[in-house]
Amino acid sequence: GAVVSQHPSRVICKSGTSVKIECRSLDFQATTMFWYRQFPKQSLMLMATSNEGSKATYEQGVEKDKFLINHASLTLSTLTVTSAHPEDSSFYICSARWGGRDPDTQYFGPGTRLTVL
Amino acid sequence: AQSVTQPDIHITVSEGASLELRCNYSYGATPYLFWYVQSPGQGLQLLLKYFSGDTLVQGIKGFEAEFKRSQSSFNLRKPSVHWSDAAEYFCAVAPLSGGYNKLIFGAGTRLAVHP
């Protein structure tokens, strides 16, 4: 149980284009989803927290107009990187929290590697 | 400053040897504590967690961790390492200041296992 998927696993795009990454909780309803960014050989940095049906809360220094988050349902959240540039190349990881039995534990997706040319 | 510290960036052990990965945190109130493992191509997998109660926590894959309040530490241990344990290990905390909602990760420790 508590499986989280991400799609795509890898994407390459041209500078200036937008890329959408999906995060799905497959076997539970996620009250909260989180988006992280991980640079090579570094740790995960929280970008934003989203609750179903409400606006995402962004961490300090994260551009909300650059990284659009939509949490449309209890099983799906999307991250759109708008007008991507090479410096946006990174590994993006989502996680979901199950508000029922295990409210304080986050379950992570496998990540999406974004390369902007 | 509030932080999570994993002092060992890279550790190499022989298969069958014991393992201890260190984690220290700096927060006023005891946060929730977690250990995750990240293998290539896979998502972070929760090994174990501590919220309260017994300070010795048992996790999956034969791992355990001990919370020591006096040392602000939550070290991960395994008595006998297997080659499949080679991966990146992250200590994470969910501090009270974030309502226990936000995870703050340490820098990670990369474990290599020699046959």
Side-chain angles (χ1 to χ4, degrees), chain A residues 34 36 38 41-46 49 57 59 91 93 95 97 102-111, chain B residues 32 34 36 38 41-46 49 51 88 90 94 99-108 110:
Chain A
F34 304 83
Y36 295 83
Q38 185 180 28
K41 301 187 186 301
Q42 294 188 32
S43 188
L44 285 77
M45 299 296 295
L46 179 65
T49 302
T57 302
E59 294 300 300
F91 195 51
I93 303 173
S95 72
R97 193 166 64 195
D102 206 3
D104 298 302
T105 299
Q106 293 182 31
Y107 295 91
F108 286 80
Chain B
Y32 292 173
F34 305 80
Y36 285 89
Q38 184 180 38
Q42 299 183 27
L44 276 78
Q45 183 179 21
L46 178 68
K49 59 190 176 186
F51 294 165
E88 184 94 26
F90 290 97
Y100 300 115
N101 291 324
K102 297 181 180 180
L103 275 180
I104 311 298
F105 284 84
R110 182 163 296 277

Side-chain angles (χ1 to χ4, degrees), chain A residues 101-117:
Chain A
R101 188 179 69 189
D102 206 3
D104 298 302
T105 299
Q106 293 182 31
Y107 295 91
F108 286 80
T112 296
R113 184 159 307 281
L114 170 64
T115 303
V116 184
L117 302 176

